[in-house]
Amino acid sequence: MPLPFLTADRTFESASESALPYDDRDRWRRPYRPGPWRVGLAALVLMVASFALFAAVLIALTGSASFAAVVLGTGLLVIAGALRLLRMGVWVSARGLRQVGFVMTRTVPWARVVSVRTVQQPVRWLGLPRTVQGQALTLSRKDRPAAETPALLTTHTLDFVGRPAAFERAADVVEAWAAEAGRGH
């Protein structure tokens, strides 16, 4: 059975010439992978949700259907929260820059972006009120002062804590998108 990917047995010219997934610049994409802390936390939350769903089945079989529906709804809300946790981060496309939070999403068109740059500043550790010295990827907009705009990425979020090289790569990619979009306008 031949496999569809490029192997040493095939020549480069015989590989399919279909477009790669990153060729569609209008599609929203996160320019970095979710960090191990974010994935691990989401896995723990999904495990709790599985217990809630199993409890809903047991309650439905042995007790009241209305209480089982409440537990089922709670389990589904926990699953939605875990999926939202995995979706959080900075996303880019040809249309602009999108910062997805747990509750709210902000989208800034490239036409409103003045600059995106990495600065050394106190940053929140894992989103908690405690601050530590780190790096942040900041956004300067035409329509707002820089003090009102939260940092896009920091070295101490769930995605980058303990992974400074991953932060540097992600910041470089977002800065490159902003520079390329700035040349286009």
Side-chain angles (χ1 to χ4, degrees), residues 4-182:
F5 53 86
L6 184 63
T7 64
D9 299 322
R10 295 177 17 195
T11 62
F12 182 73
E13 290 77 31
S14 66
S16 68
E17 296 296 325
S18 64
L20 296 172
Y22 55 81
D23 284 344
D24 185 11
R25 301 194 53 81
D26 289 329
R27 185 172 175 212
W28 289 102
R29 69 182 62 99
R30 182 180 10 215
Y32 57 92
R33 293 182 182 166
W37 287 92
R38 181 176 307 279
V39 173
L41 183 61
L44 288 174
V45 170
L46 286 173
M47 189 172 64
V48 169
S50 71
F51 288 129
L53 294 177
F54 184 67
V57 170
L58 291 179
I59 292 169
L61 293 174
T62 61
S64 75
S66 62
F67 187 62
V70 169
V71 174
L72 176 69
T74 303
L76 292 176
L77 282 175
V78 171
I79 290 171
L83 293 176
R84 187 65 180 185
L85 179 68
L86 288 173
R87 184 138 173 88
M88 289 173 56
V90 174
W91 296 72
V92 292
S93 82
R95 291 175 281 185
L97 186 132
R98 180 174 285 173
Q99 188 173 17
V100 178
F102 190 75
V103 178
M104 198 164 77
T105 299
R106 293 182 183 102
T107 302
V108 180
W110 290 120
R112 290 189 194 159
V113 173
V114 174
S115 69
V116 176
R117 60 189 181 101
T118 305
V119 296
Q120 189 82 17
Q121 68 180 31
V123 296
R124 292 172 61 176
W125 183 72
L126 297 177
L128 299 172
R130 178 179 172 220
T131 60
V132 294
Q133 192 64 27
Q135 290 183 331
L137 185 68
T138 60
L139 170 70
S140 298
R141 298 174 53 168
K142 291 180 182 176
D143 56 347
R144 287 198 184 154
E148 291 181 12
T149 307
L152 297 173
L153 304 171
T154 68
T155 53
H156 289 80
T157 60
L158 285 172
D159 291 322
F160 303 113
V161 67
R163 298 176 43 208
F167 172 79
E168 290 296 328
R169 281 192 309 270
D172 289 345
V173 170
V174 174
E175 288 173 350
W177 272 84
E180 184 176 324

